């Protein structure tokens, strides 16, 4: 009855309470046990498991709390993201670009990076130059003026387009990825791009553009063919007959190969020419139209093998590049770190020629002379073709017959008598001469009216010279061009006359006049062939009659000693050209004067011998001087002096205790009468600065009137080999009046002040000098020497007293420093102990941290396992609830059926029993409710009553 009463009490509660109770009890025993308090002996894992189970059930009962927590977390994430992204909002957007070129410039400036428009306009032009720039780039700014200057000369033939390839919104920046600026591209119709990497100079850019416009050189005559073949650059000739068709087969391929060579080599080393005359083609062994010929000066020239190699533009260029012969090579260092010069110097001795070069000039006389020198230098076998080309170069450069340069080569052999006359003399006019205002060099040649060649007589030459000076006024009136010639009768013979041809030197010969300014003080020039007494000529003196070929090269054309010299020596030179207008800084580093009036310079660099030689800057750079320079270098015992590069002595003041020695002052300072102690050092030497205080103290001790303490930076100053050192620092002592007995400081002895004093006193003592038995010293000399030594001894004693005082002071300072060091050691020991204690604590904490980390990992794995089991239990609970509901429905249905049957059978007996027996006590029933059957237990009856009320 108590159990039924409890059930009945619960059944008498409100409907909401019954719903909650049903929901709580629906979970079965596990659900009712989850809300009960944990036993006292439960572990932490059990408590955590029960807490997670309670949180899970709470989330099921109150889902609005879970939604609120999720909404709050999302709000926090958004606030954090907004705070971290505030820095992006303060960046100022880039300003829109502005025009890089002026509006009046002939360059089309696409400053917004319109690459598509540039491609559009490129289709309508034959030759286009694209200039990609960055507005902030300094080199782009410097190239702007050069591009404008080139565009002003070629704007009617070439389209110049500048594109800003830095603006981030432009198409150029999005499509092109350049690693440097500026970038110059050229397009020839559909061929390109051809990138230009040469000097950013207007003349060089214009020359390259003209090469792209006209990659093939037309050869119409034999003279121009000789010009093409005698050039120092390798040449490729193609023969095509245009009579049959406007475009012969293979011509377009040959034309494209010329453009391809410019694309691969921006220097344009290989030149391409076209011959249309079959007679000219036969001279270079070209018979069939479409043949290609590669000219080589010393090796056999080649014809492109069409039957072996496919006739394509790329194959033609590769064939020419692989088989070319380099006579001279241009070097163009870009100014940054590069191994260009290093790679060339590794090949052997190199002759660097710095010349002012204008790429747009029609002729280059100095380069022609250098080419002539190179051809003769490498003509080892006396090749007839090379001799013919040399003859052509000489006649083209001959000043008297420049008008014959356009004549056929056969007429070039008919030279006048002046070219071969032995009775000629070169006259360098003095400054007071009237003709010297326009012409400074004259060639006087004496001839006779007879057919026979006269014998050269000094009297005849002298008479012609007198007549020339007497008739200078009449001769000056005919001076109208850069070259003038005139004939005059001689005073000494009515049957003879002299010829005077004067010209202005293209390259100044002032180098031969600077050293002898008083040569022409009188009109009577002295000739060495007549004088009995001669003086030694300085390197800059006026040359003799037999040496006049350096002024008129055509007077003496046969230089048999120089021809083929490269094959007769083990010091073969490689010849290189550099534009002095761009790379004069390199010449100055090699020894060229920075204030040279004409930027011409020649230097030989031999890396293997660690030396280089320079041509005397006072001498003009011409064929004669170059040949002599190369010959002097090539002989076994070269008379050339190794050029020494040194620092500027003016930057070192002379008032210092230690004298700074340079290359120029070495002989004056070190090899004078005083005793000199010289220190060899370098800026990169780490041990050298540690000796400065020692040498400063030494300089204070030694008397300055008899001793000199000096040093030299051997990394900046070259010395003769006998005075160089193989290690740094090195100390050499040069005793007075005995410089040949110089002594090196011992390497195993520390460089200290006492050691240096002993070293100097030992080697400066006259007793160490071997006595001269032939001339014994006099008594007065010995007395003066003793007085001098006594003075030295007294001076040293005073200095020793000073040193003792300084030593006592240093000792007291040493004691103070030792006391401070002992205190510092105690502090160090205490700190060391503290450090060891901290290290032990650190190790314990680290061990504890590792244990906690292991425990944390273990608990994490357990929590993961508990969460998995809770999830399984939740799934099982939901399934049980569903089955329980279905069972309740089934039981209720079955009970209704049973009640219906029992009611029909027991209706009459029940009424009889009710009338005979009183109603037993029991739970109250609602009106109209059916009493439970007799075979149903009371709990089931209570449950059915609850269900009826719910319905």
């Amino acid at each position: 009855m108590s159990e039924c009463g409890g059930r009945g009490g619960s059944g008498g509660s409100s409907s909401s309470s019954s719903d909650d109770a049903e929901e709580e009890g629906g979970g079965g025993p596990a659900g009712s046990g989850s809300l009960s308090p944990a036993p006292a002996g439960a572990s932490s894992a059990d408590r955590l498991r029960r807490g997670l189970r309670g949180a899970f059930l709470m989330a099921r009962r109150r889902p609005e709390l879970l939604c609120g927590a999720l909404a709050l977390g999302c709000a926090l994430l958004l606030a954090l993201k907004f705070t971290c992204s505030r820095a992006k909002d303060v960046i100022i957007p880039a300003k829109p670009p502005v025009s890089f070129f002026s509006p009046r410039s002939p360059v089309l400036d696409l400053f917004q990076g319109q690459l598509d428009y540039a491609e559009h306009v490129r289709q309508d032009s034959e030759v286009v130059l694209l200039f990609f720039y960055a507005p902030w780039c300094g080199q782009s700014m410097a190239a702007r003026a050069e591009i404008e200057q080139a565009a002003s000369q070629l704007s009617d033939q070439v389209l110049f387009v500048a594109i800003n390839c830095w603006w981030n919104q432009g198409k150029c920046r999005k499509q092109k990825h350049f690693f440097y600026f500026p970038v110059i591209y050229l397009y020839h119709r559909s061929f390109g791009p051809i990138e230009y990497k040469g000097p950013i100079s207007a003349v060089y850019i214009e020359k390259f553009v003209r090469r792209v416009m006209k990659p093939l050189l037309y050869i119409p005559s034999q003279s121009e063919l000789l010009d093409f073949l005698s050039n120092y650059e390798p040449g490729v000739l193609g023969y095509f007959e245009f009579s049959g068709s406007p475009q012969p087969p293979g011509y377009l391929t040959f034309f494209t190969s010329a453009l391809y060579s410019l694309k691969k080599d921006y220097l344009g080393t290989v030149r391409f020419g076209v011959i249309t005359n079959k007679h000219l083609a036969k001279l270079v062994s070209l018979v069939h139209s479409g043949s290609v010929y590669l000219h080589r000066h010393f090796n056999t020239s080649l014809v492109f093998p069409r039957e072996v190699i496919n006739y394509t533009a790329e194959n033609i260029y590769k064939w020419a590049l692989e088989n070319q012969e380099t006579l001279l090579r241009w070097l163009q260092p870009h100014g940054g770190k590069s191994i260009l010069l290093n790679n060339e110097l590794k090949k052997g001795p190199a002759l660097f020629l710095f010349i002012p070069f204008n790429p747009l000039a029609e002729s280059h006389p100095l380069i022609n002379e250098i080419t002539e020198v190179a051809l003769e230098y490498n003509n080892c076998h006396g090749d007839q073709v090379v001799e013919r080309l040399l003859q052509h170069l000489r006649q083209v450069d001959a000043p008297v017959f420049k008008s014959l340069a356009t004549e056929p080569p056969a007429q070039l052999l008919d030279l006048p008598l002046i070219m071969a006359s032995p009775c000629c003399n070169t006259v360098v006019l003095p400054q007071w001469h009237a003709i010297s205002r326009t012409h400074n060099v004259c060639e006087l040649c004496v001839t006779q009216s007879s057919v026979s060649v006269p014998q050269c007589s000094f009297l005849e030459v002298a008479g012609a010279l007198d007549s020339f000076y007497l008739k200078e006024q009449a001769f000056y009136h005919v001076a109208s061009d850069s070259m003038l010639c005139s004939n005059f009768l001689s005073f000494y013979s009515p049957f003879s006359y002299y010829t005077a041809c004067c010209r202005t030197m293209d390259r100044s010969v002032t180098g031969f006049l600077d050293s002898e300014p008083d040569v022409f003080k009188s009109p009577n020039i002295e000739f060495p062939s007549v004088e009995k007494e001669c003086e030694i000529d300085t390197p800059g003196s006026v040359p003799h009659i037999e040496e006049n070929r350096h002024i008129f090269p055509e007077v003496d054309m046969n230089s048999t000693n120089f021809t083929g010299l490269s094959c007769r020596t083990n010091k073969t030179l490689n010849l290189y050209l550099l534009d002095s207008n761009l790379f004069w800084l390199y010449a100055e580093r090699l020894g060229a004067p920075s204030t040279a009036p004409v930027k011409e310079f020649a230097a030989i660099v031999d890396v293997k011998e660690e030396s280089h030689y320079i041509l005397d800057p006072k001498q003009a750079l011409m064929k004669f001087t170059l040949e002599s320079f190369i010959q002097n270098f090539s002989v076994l015992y070269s008379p050339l002096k190794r050029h020494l590069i040194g620092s500027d002595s003016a930057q070192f003041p002379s008032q210092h205790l230690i004298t700074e020695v340079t290359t120029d002052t070495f002989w004056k300072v070190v090899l004078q009468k005083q005793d000199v102690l010289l220190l060899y050092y370098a800026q990169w030497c780490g041990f050298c600065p540690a000796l400065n205080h020692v040498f400063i103290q030494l300089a204070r001790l030694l008397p300055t009137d008899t001793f000199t303490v000096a040093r030299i930076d051997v990394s900046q100053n070259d010395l003769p080999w006998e005075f160089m050192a193989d290690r740094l620092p090195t100390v050499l002592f040069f005793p007075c009046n005995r410089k040949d007995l110089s002594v090196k400081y011992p390497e195993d002895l520390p460089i200290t002040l006492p050691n240096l004093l002993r070293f100097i006193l030992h080697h400066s003592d006259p007793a160490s000098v071997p006595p001269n038995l032939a001339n014994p010293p006099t008594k007065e000399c010995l007395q003066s020497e003793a007085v001098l030594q006594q003075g030295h001894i007294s001076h040293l004693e005073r200095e020793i007293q000073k040193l003792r005082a300084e030593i006592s002071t240093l000792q007291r300072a040493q004691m103070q420093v030792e006391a401070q060091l002992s205190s510092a050691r105690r502090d160090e020991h205490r700190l060391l102990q503290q450090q060891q204690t901290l290290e032990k604590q650190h190790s314990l904490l680290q061990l504890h941290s590792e244990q906690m980390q292991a425990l944390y990992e273990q608990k994490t794995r357990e929590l993961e396992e508990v969460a998995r089991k809770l999830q399984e239990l939740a799934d099982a609970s939901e399934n049980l609830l569903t089955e329980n509901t279905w069972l309740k429905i089934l039981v209720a249905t079955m009970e209704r059926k049973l009640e219906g049957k029992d009611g029909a059978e027991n209706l009459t007996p029940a009424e009889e029993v009710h009338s005979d027996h009183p109603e037993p006590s029991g739970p109250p029933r609602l009106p109209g409710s059916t009493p439970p059957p007799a075979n149903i237990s009371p709990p089931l009856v209570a449950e059915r009553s609850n269900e009826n009320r719910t319905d």
Side-chain angles (χ1 to χ4, degrees):
M1 293 294 296
S2 61
E3 184 179 356
C4 292
R7 304 280 296 186
S10 63
S13 61
S14 62
S15 61
S16 60
S17 299
S18 64
D19 293 339
D20 294 339
E22 183 180 356
E23 187 173 358
E24 291 178 7
S32 62
S34 63
L35 296 178
S36 61
S43 63
S44 59
D46 295 336
R47 289 195 294 269
L48 182 60
R49 188 183 301 110
R50 294 177 181 273
L52 290 175
R53 185 180 302 167
F56 173 73
L57 294 177
M58 182 64 70
R60 289 188 57 192
R61 277 195 241 118
R62 304 296 296 273
E64 63 274 5
L65 294 178
L66 181 61
C67 295
L70 292 176
L72 183 60
C74 294
L76 289 175
L77 290 176
L78 290 175
L80 184 62
K81 183 177 180 181
F82 174 76
T83 304
C84 296
S85 62
R86 288 186 63 187
K88 300 180 180 179
D89 299 333
V90 299
I91 298 177
I92 302 175
K95 295 181 180 180
V98 296
S99 179
F100 192 68
F101 289 83
S102 62
R104 297 184 300 273
S105 175
V107 181
L108 175 61
D109 189 7
L110 304 179
F111 57 88
Q112 293 183 347
Q114 303 98 314
L115 188 61
D116 51 353
Y117 183 73
E119 294 293 335
H120 173 70
V121 298
R122 186 175 68 83
Q123 304 298 330
D124 301 333
S125 303
E126 183 176 1
V127 180
V128 180
L129 184 143
L130 299 183
F131 176 70
F132 299 95
Y133 67 89
W136 53 265
C137 176
Q139 295 185 2
S140 299
M141 297 178 188
R144 173 171 50 189
E146 306 296 334
I147 293 292
E148 285 186 340
Q149 183 177 349
S152 62
Q153 300 292 331
L154 301 172
S155 59
D156 56 340
Q157 305 176 58
V158 180
L159 176 62
F160 285 78
V161 181
I163 306 173
N164 182 2
C165 212
W166 184 255
W167 192 41
N168 56 358
Q169 299 182 15
K171 288 190 176 182
C172 182
R173 177 69 179 274
K174 297 177 181 179
Q175 299 182 12
K176 301 290 185 180
H177 303 282
F178 296 119
F179 295 98
Y180 56 89
F181 289 99
V183 178
I184 300 177
Y185 282 171
L186 281 98
Y187 291 86
H188 189 285
R189 295 181 182 173
S190 60
F191 186 87
I194 304 174
E195 184 176 0
Y196 173 72
K197 297 181 181 179
I200 305 298
S201 175
V203 291
Y204 278 89
I205 295 174
E206 182 179 350
K207 179 63 177 180
F208 188 77
V209 174
R210 292 185 182 275
R211 287 286 299 270
V212 174
M213 293 168 54
K214 189 179 178 182
L216 300 179
L217 181 64
Y218 177 56
I219 310 297
S221 63
Q222 187 174 356
S223 176
E224 295 188 10
L225 178 61
L226 289 175
D227 290 339
F228 186 87
L229 298 180
S230 60
N231 195 282
Y232 63 92
E233 294 178 338
V236 178
L237 287 171
Y239 168 53
F240 300 94
E241 293 182 356
F242 284 85
S243 58
S245 62
Q247 190 175 34
Y251 175 76
L252 184 59
T253 302
F254 186 71
F255 184 88
T256 308
S257 66
L259 291 176
Y260 191 83
S261 68
L262 294 175
K263 182 178 180 180
K264 295 297 182 180
D265 183 11
Y266 64 92
L267 295 176
T269 304
V270 181
R271 298 175 304 115
F272 286 76
V274 173
I275 298 177
T276 59
N277 190 334
K278 62 180 180 180
H279 299 289
L280 289 178
K282 288 182 180 179
L283 297 178
V284 291
S285 305
L286 295 180
V287 179
H288 304 287
S289 178
S291 302
V292 179
Y293 168 84
L294 173 63
H295 176 70
R296 299 194 293 185
H297 294 96
F298 309 110
N299 296 314
T300 305
S301 300
L302 303 176
V303 178
F304 183 78
R306 303 187 63 169
E307 64 279 358
V308 179
I309 306 175
N310 293 332
Y311 189 80
T312 61
E314 185 176 356
N315 288 340
I316 292 175
Y317 168 72
K318 288 183 178 180
W319 170 77
L321 185 65
E322 292 173 358
N323 299 280
Q324 68 174 346
E325 187 179 66
T326 304
L327 188 63
L328 299 172
R329 182 180 175 185
W330 281 97
L331 295 181
Q332 293 183 355
H334 56 75
K337 290 185 178 180
S338 173
I339 59 175
L340 173 64
L341 295 178
N342 182 47
N343 292 337
E344 299 301 328
L345 291 174
K346 286 181 179 178
K347 300 176 181 178
L351 173 59
F352 294 101
L353 300 171
F354 295 84
I355 59 174
F357 180 68
N358 182 11
L360 299 178
E362 296 183 358
S363 62
H364 302 89
L366 181 54
I367 294 183
N368 291 340
E369 290 191 16
I370 296 173
T371 304
E372 185 178 348
V373 171
L375 287 173
E376 291 184 359
Y377 180 67
N378 293 282
N379 189 17
C380 301
H381 305 289
D383 189 86
Q384 295 298 325
V385 176
V386 177
E387 293 294 337
R388 178 68 179 276
L389 296 178
L390 285 171
Q391 181 183 2
H392 174 72
L393 286 174
R394 291 165 186 155
Q395 301 310 320
V396 170
D397 291 339
V400 183
F401 304 100
K402 286 186 177 179
S403 60
L404 297 178
T406 57
E407 298 295 331
Q411 300 181 8
L412 295 176
L413 299 177
D414 300 329
L415 304 177
L417 185 60
I418 185 175
M419 304 302 295
S421 175
C423 196
C424 295
N425 183 58
T426 300
V427 179
V428 181
L429 298 182
Q431 297 296 325
W432 50 264
H433 202 279
I435 305 178
S436 66
R437 292 195 295 269
T438 56
H439 300 77
N440 53 14
V441 176
C442 291
E443 186 79 1
L444 289 176
C445 293
V446 179
T447 60
Q448 291 183 354
S449 57
S450 60
V451 179
S452 61
V453 178
Q455 299 293 328
C456 184
S457 172
F458 170 72
L459 296 178
E460 295 179 357
V461 176
L465 187 63
D466 293 340
S467 301
F468 171 72
Y469 281 113
L470 290 176
K471 296 185 178 182
E472 62 177 75
Q473 296 296 332
F475 192 72
Y476 178 72
H477 287 297
V478 300
S480 59
D481 200 358
S482 61
M483 170 62 62
L484 53 93
C485 297
S486 182
N487 295 329
F488 296 92
L489 290 176
S490 175
F491 286 164
Y492 296 92
S493 175
F495 301 103
S496 62
Y497 64 94
Y498 70 88
T499 301
C501 294
C502 300
R503 67 168 175 173
T504 301
M505 294 294 292
D506 294 335
R507 296 169 303 280
S508 175
V509 292
T510 56
F512 297 102
L513 303 176
D514 292 342
S515 60
E516 298 290 342
D518 299 331
V519 172
F520 295 107
K521 287 186 178 180
S522 63
N524 298 324
I525 301 179
E526 300 178 356
F527 299 95
S529 60
V530 179
E531 296 294 332
K532 301 299 182 181
E533 297 180 0
C534 299
E535 295 181 357
I536 299 176
D537 291 335
T538 59
S541 61
V542 178
H544 301 308
I545 296 177
E546 63 272 16
E547 296 175 346
N548 61 357
R549 64 192 181 104
H550 69 278
I551 297 180
F552 276 87
E554 61 272 12
V555 175
D556 184 11
M557 294 183 182
N558 297 323
S559 55
T560 55
N561 293 331
F562 183 75
T563 303
L565 182 60
S566 64
C567 301
R568 302 196 306 270
T569 179
N570 291 330
K571 297 189 292 185
T572 304
L573 289 169
N574 299 315
L575 278 65
Y576 300 97
L577 299 175
L578 291 94
D579 189 355
S580 58
N581 295 325
L582 301 175
F583 309 109
W584 187 247
L585 179 62
Y586 293 87
E588 292 180 358
R589 292 180 179 177
L590 289 174
S594 58
T595 59
V598 180
K599 291 186 176 181
E600 296 177 357
F601 180 72
I604 295 176
V605 179
D606 191 350
V607 176
K608 184 179 180 181
E609 299 295 333
E610 297 184 1
S611 59
H612 80 280
Y613 313 92
I614 66 172
L615 182 65
D616 188 1
K618 296 181 180 180
Q619 298 184 9
L621 185 62
M622 56 180 63
K623 181 177 182 294
F624 169 73
T625 55
L626 277 179
E627 289 180 353
S628 302
F629 187 44
I630 296 174
Q631 284 178 330
N632 291 331
F633 172 77
S634 302
V635 296
L636 182 59
Y637 300 101
S638 175
L640 297 178
K641 295 294 183 66
R642 171 172 165 258
H643 182 70
L644 305 178
I645 300 178
S647 305
D648 186 9
S649 58
Q651 61 180 339
F652 302 110
S654 59
Q655 291 81 10
H656 288 177
L657 290 173
I658 300 179
T659 304
E660 191 73 28
V661 179
T662 63
T663 302
D664 299 332
T665 61
F666 179 80
W667 297 94
K668 179 181 178 182
V669 175
V670 177
L671 302 181
Q672 60 184 358
K673 295 182 179 181
Q674 288 187 343
D675 293 335
V676 179
L677 186 71
L678 183 62
L679 170 66
Y680 291 79
Y681 78 100
Q683 296 293 338
W684 48 263
C685 175
F687 300 97
C688 298
L691 304 176
N692 289 340
H693 71 284
V694 177
F695 280 83
I696 290 175
Q697 293 182 7
L698 181 66
R700 289 176 178 174
L701 291 176
L702 299 177
T704 58
D705 55 342
T706 56
F707 285 89
T708 299
V709 180
R711 68 174 188 172
I712 182 171
D713 186 357
V714 292
S715 63
Q716 301 293 330
N717 298 274
D718 293 337
L719 293 177
W721 293 121
E722 59 270 21
F723 296 109
M724 291 298 293
D726 57 351
R727 64 190 298 272
L728 295 178
T730 296
V731 180
L732 291 182
F733 178 69
F734 297 85
C736 176
N737 296 326
R738 293 176 289 115
K739 301 299 181 180
D740 56 334
L741 300 178
S742 60
V743 185
K744 182 180 179 181
Y745 188 84
E747 297 179 358
D748 56 348
L749 188 63
I751 302 178
T752 61
L753 184 60
N755 291 340
L756 286 174
L757 285 173
R758 296 190 191 98
F759 175 73
I760 293 173
L761 293 177
H762 175 71
H763 293 286
S764 63
D765 187 8
S768 61
V769 183
N772 190 354
L773 301 178
N775 296 318
T778 61
K779 184 177 181 180
E780 293 79 4
C781 181
L782 293 177
Q783 290 178 354
S784 61
E785 185 67 24
V787 171
L788 180 61
Q789 293 295 331
Q790 187 64 31
H792 288 173
I793 292 173
S794 61
H795 177 74
L796 290 176
E797 287 179 351
R798 291 193 299 271
E799 296 297 333
I800 289 172
Q801 294 295 331
K802 294 180 182 179
L803 287 176
R804 287 176 179 174
E806 292 181 1
I807 289 172
S808 61
T809 304
L810 290 174
Q811 288 177 351
R812 291 192 296 271
Q814 181 182 2
M815 295 175 62
Q816 296 177 359
V817 171
E818 287 179 354
Q820 295 176 359
L821 285 176
S822 62
S823 177
R825 289 192 187 97
R826 288 193 296 271
D827 295 339
E828 182 183 3
H829 182 67
R830 186 176 64 256
L831 292 174
L832 183 60
Q833 291 179 349
Q834 295 178 0
Q835 181 183 0
Q836 292 177 356
T837 304
L838 292 175
E839 287 179 353
K840 292 180 180 178
Q841 295 178 357
H842 176 71
S843 60
L844 292 175
L845 290 174
Q846 188 174 3
L847 179 60
H848 184 65
S849 175
E850 292 177 355
Q851 294 176 356
M852 294 299 294
Q853 182 67 22
L855 181 60
Y856 171 75
E857 293 177 355
Q858 180 182 358
K859 297 301 181 182
T860 302
R861 291 193 296 270
E862 292 178 356
L863 289 176
E864 291 177 354
E865 183 67 21
V866 168
R868 185 182 62 79
K869 291 182 179 180
L870 287 176
Q871 185 65 31
E872 292 178 357
L873 289 175
D875 296 339
S877 176
E878 289 180 359
N879 294 333
L880 290 175
L881 286 174
T882 304
E883 293 176 358
N884 189 16
T885 303
W886 285 107
L887 286 174
K888 287 180 181 180
I889 295 172
L890 181 59
V891 168
T893 305
M894 294 299 296
E895 287 179 354
R896 290 191 188 98
K897 290 181 180 181
L898 290 174
E899 287 177 356
K901 291 181 181 181
D902 293 340
E905 293 176 358
N906 300 328
L907 180 58
T908 303
E911 290 177 354
E912 292 176 357
V913 172
H914 182 270
S915 60
D916 295 336
H917 300 283
E919 183 178 357
S921 62
R925 292 182 297 172
L926 294 177
S929 60
T930 305
N935 58 352
I936 297 179
S937 61
L940 183 59
V941 174
E943 186 175 356
R944 289 179 58 188
S945 64
N946 291 336
E947 291 177 358
N948 295 332
R949 287 196 297 272
T950 303
D951 295 338

